[in-house]
Amino acid sequence: MSEMNFASDNTAGIAPDILRALAGANDGFALGYGNDERSRDVERLFAHVFERDVAVFLVTTGTAANAIALAHVSPPWGAVLCHREAHAITDECGAPEFFGGGLRLIGLPGEACKLAPQTLQNALGDELWGGPHHVSPSALSLTQATEAGTIYRLDEIAALAALAHARGLAVHMDGARFANALVRLAVTPAEMTWKSGIDVLSLGATKGGAMAAEAIVFFDPARAASMAERRKRGGDLVSKHRFLAAQFAAFFAEDYWLTLARHANSLADRLAARLAASGCKPVWPVEANIVFVIMSKDRVTKLKNAGASFYVRRSLSLPAGIEIGADESLLRLVTSFATSENEVDRFVELACR
Ligand SMILES: Cc1ncc(COP(=O)(O)O)c(C=O)c1O
């Protein structure tokens, strides 16, 4: 592995406390499929974090969390509205549609990968909805933090959720980087979810430092009826379930998840500030742990040759006035709990020299 790892937050290993918790959970025997003590504690743990009774289903990937959650809140003839760059529509190989029996994801435009209330209102006002000929809007899915590394403010979530609820839609949040948004906004998990109108959350721990642990959280447990069967049919009821539970227990213990996310965000801030000071201003405000910059292809080659790892992205919908020249590329740089200041500084020095 190179020293400058900005390809994704999943290139990092397992955060030390979580690794210790996995080793700790390895002693002795425990019943499988969530019937062990650690797993039975999980709902209590989440209820404490979210300040209300919740129904929780642990799974192993963010794709499974999104796909199974969306399938649960949408009929096969439903339409799930999301941003057109949302991971669920662009990067999950049709899993939500597959698990949802053919439900349709509909991508809407929006600056910085965020949906604006007016856009949602216009989409809902479209006359082409409803049976028997057309799909009907059944859910709204918001990504927090977004694929552009931006975040929805609480009033923005609440405004979108209110519009969705007024039309009977369920509101889902893809929280693969939930903690990064949470610490930036300095709000509580309850405030960023059910208090703002979120009905179901895909809460990611993997990118935040776990080995593989994601949770589907229903804020109205009654809504989760038959979810256990849906997860099993989805092939994601883990038999050695205690290891999923142990990861979340360590993730939440003493606000470890927030400490890890703060580190990732602060390194993204450092990266953004130093790149900007050298004339490479990030394309979008850096609000989580993702930095997008445009660089010449020569510099990209130089960085790659020096061992830096990152992805060059096709252009997302860029802000007005920003264009990628023929000899330029759009870079996505992601920091993690394990990113070091040295990595950032070395990258900037190479990128800007
Ligand atoms: C916003 C978002 N949602 C969901 C996922 C899915 O996670 P996984 O790769 O674990 O399926 C990702 C992964 O990149 C993501 O960035």
Side-chain angles (χ1 to χ4, degrees), residues 61-63 66 87 92 143 147 174 176-177 207:
T61 71
T63 298
N66 284 344
H87 195 274
E92 297 185 358
T143 311
E147 289 73 10
D174 174 352
R177 298 188 178 85
K207 292 177 197 305

Side-chain angles (χ1 to χ4, degrees), residues 59-349:
V59 295
T60 50
T61 71
T63 298
N66 284 344
I68 299 173
L70 291 173
H72 198 72
V73 296
S74 185
W77 50 89
V80 175
L81 309 186
C82 59
H83 192 279
R84 66 180 174 208
E85 302 290 352
H87 195 274
I89 197 170
T90 62
D91 282 298
E92 297 185 358
C93 203
E97 292 91 333
F98 175 71
F99 284 106
L103 67 78
R104 185 174 296 172
L105 281 169
I106 296 193
L108 303 176
E111 298 261 314
C113 288
K114 286 168 67 172
L115 292 177
Q118 192 59 51
T119 308
L120 178 62
Q121 195 158 21
N122 292 348
L124 291 172
D126 200 311
E127 285 168 16
L128 278 180
W129 297 121
H133 299 292
H134 312 294
V135 291
S136 297
S138 50
L140 168 70
S141 179
L142 305 175
T143 311
Q144 178 79 323
T146 72
E147 289 73 10
T150 52
I151 53 183
Y152 287 97
R153 307 300 184 269
L154 297 191
D155 60 332
E156 294 172 325
I157 299 171
L160 288 161
L163 283 171
H165 286 153
R167 277 288 295 269
L169 277 68
V171 185
H172 166 257
M173 179 177 274
D174 174 352
R177 298 188 178 85
F178 184 87
N180 302 90
L182 196 66
V183 297
R184 183 70 77 182
L185 288 177
V187 297
T188 65
E191 285 167 339
M192 208 166 80
T193 54
W194 60 273
K195 287 189 178 175
S196 299
I198 301 299
D199 300 307
V200 57
L201 168 70
S202 301
L203 174 59
T206 311
K207 292 177 197 305
M211 186 188 90
E214 312 280 318
I216 302 167
V217 186
F218 288 89
F219 297 106
D220 173 8
R223 203 167 192 152
S226 304
M227 185 66 185
E229 290 80 357
R230 191 181 296 278
R231 177 179 55 174
K232 178 70 180 178
R233 282 168 63 96
D236 215 351
L237 172 57
V238 172
S239 67
K240 292 190 179 177
H241 198 275
R242 64 174 141 157
F243 294 105
L244 292 187
Q247 291 178 75
F248 267 109
F251 193 56
F252 289 143
E254 293 168 28
D255 289 342
Y256 192 45
W257 61 319
L258 306 184
T259 305
L260 298 173
R262 274 192 200 100
H263 176 89
N265 286 3
S266 77
L267 272 286
D269 290 346
R270 184 183 181 99
L271 182 59
R274 290 182 178 221
L275 285 170
S278 308
C280 238
K281 191 167 174 283
V283 172
W284 288 289
V286 174
E287 298 180 330
N289 62 326
I290 308 180
V291 181
F292 280 91
V293 281
I294 297 171
M295 253 181 226
S296 74
K297 288 189 172 153
D298 284 351
R299 283 194 192 280
V300 170
T301 307
K302 192 168 95 175
L303 284 160
K304 292 259 178 194
N305 288 345
S309 137
F310 53 85
Y311 285 114
V312 167
R313 294 294 303 258
R314 69 188 161 78
S315 69
L316 304 173
S317 326
L318 294 171
I322 298 191
E323 277 175 22
I324 304 173
D327 59 346
E328 292 177 322
S329 299
L330 177 66
L331 276 61
R332 188 188 82 146
L333 308 169
V334 189
T335 56
S336 75
F337 74 89
T339 305
S340 71
E341 291 185 353
N342 277 348
E343 268 181 292
V344 167
D345 296 351
R346 177 135 188 269
F347 183 91
V348 175
E349 196 191 310

